[in-house]
Amino acid sequence: GARLGHGRGCEWGFLLHCESEPNGRWGTYSATPEAWKGAAPQLSQRLMKLSLLSKVLLGHGLADALLPNPLTASPVLRVADRQIKRRQRGWPWLFLMCGLMKVQSAFADAPAAARMAGWAYFVQVAAVSVEGFFHRSLDRPPKVIAATLGFNILVFFWLQVAAWRRRRALRDFPAGS
């Protein structure tokens, strides 16, 4: 089924905590440069173990944060550019926040991802719908806007179904087994 996360008991935060031994002890991976030598192969292996839904969330979140979108140029560049007036940074901040929420949810379990990324997709659908169809302020053909909205709605429902399946599987699993 659609399962989020990598299933090794890892928690992503400032430090990566990962189950390192079969007896369940936890190891801590430091953020120092010495600790990250040889981390690229480990990182690529961990990314390969992600589910398809997690990979979609990771890729789409990075794209939201780094690439231009229907409402703004690259959010990271727009937010970092000090020459732009404060009032013109609203959409970049929104898309940067939504992108980071999607990236974080790629490493979460299904119910948490459905809440985090689901909210991000919902906000983006609302923002693009209002700006594109109500205000007609986007320089994009309606087909392009509709395709963007359709993708976001599709992933939103995919997340909700994955969370529902996960909750149902946990409910059906007898306690203490």
Side-chain angles (χ1 to χ4, degrees):
R3 187 166 166 262
L4 292 171
H6 34 75
R8 292 257 327 144
C10 294
E11 296 175 6
W12 291 78
F14 179 69
L15 297 176
L16 175 64
H17 297 282
C18 201
E19 194 172 349
S20 60
E21 298 181 16
N23 63 7
R25 290 186 3 177
W26 289 81
T28 301
Y29 297 91
S30 169
T32 62
E34 297 83 34
W36 287 97
K37 287 183 181 173
Q42 290 177 354
L43 180 62
S44 66
Q45 289 172 356
R46 289 179 201 262
L47 292 176
M48 292 302 294
K49 291 180 183 178
L50 289 175
S51 69
L52 177 61
L53 183 53
S54 290
K55 289 175 185 174
V56 168
L57 290 172
L58 182 61
H60 202 236
L62 290 173
D64 278 350
L66 301 174
L67 301 177
N69 57 61
L71 297 178
T72 183
S74 172
V76 169
L77 297 178
R78 293 283 294 192
V79 167
D81 188 356
R82 301 197 38 103
Q83 301 299 321
I84 297 173
K85 295 178 186 176
R86 274 182 87 164
R87 293 185 331 173
Q88 295 175 344
R89 290 194 196 135
W91 291 124
W93 274 114
L94 176 76
F95 274 83
L96 181 61
M97 178 194 67
C98 288
L100 294 176
M101 289 170 65
K102 292 174 190 178
V103 168
Q104 182 180 6
S105 67
F107 302 105
D109 64 342
R115 288 188 300 272
M116 283 187 289
W119 178 248
Y121 280 108
F122 175 78
V123 168
Q124 285 181 327
V125 165
V128 173
S129 296
V130 169
E131 289 297 317
F133 295 118
F134 184 70
H135 293 294
R136 299 193 189 284
S137 62
L138 300 180
D139 295 339
R140 307 254 192 297
K143 286 182 183 180
V144 174
I145 297 170
T148 301
L149 294 175
F151 177 79
N152 287 346
I153 291 168
L154 175 74
V155 177
F156 174 83
F157 281 111
W158 189 7
L159 283 164
Q160 303 311 311
V161 168
W164 175 77
R165 291 178 70 190
R166 178 73 175 146
R167 283 190 297 268
R168 191 180 75 187
L170 289 175
R171 187 191 67 213
D172 294 342
F173 189 72
S177 305

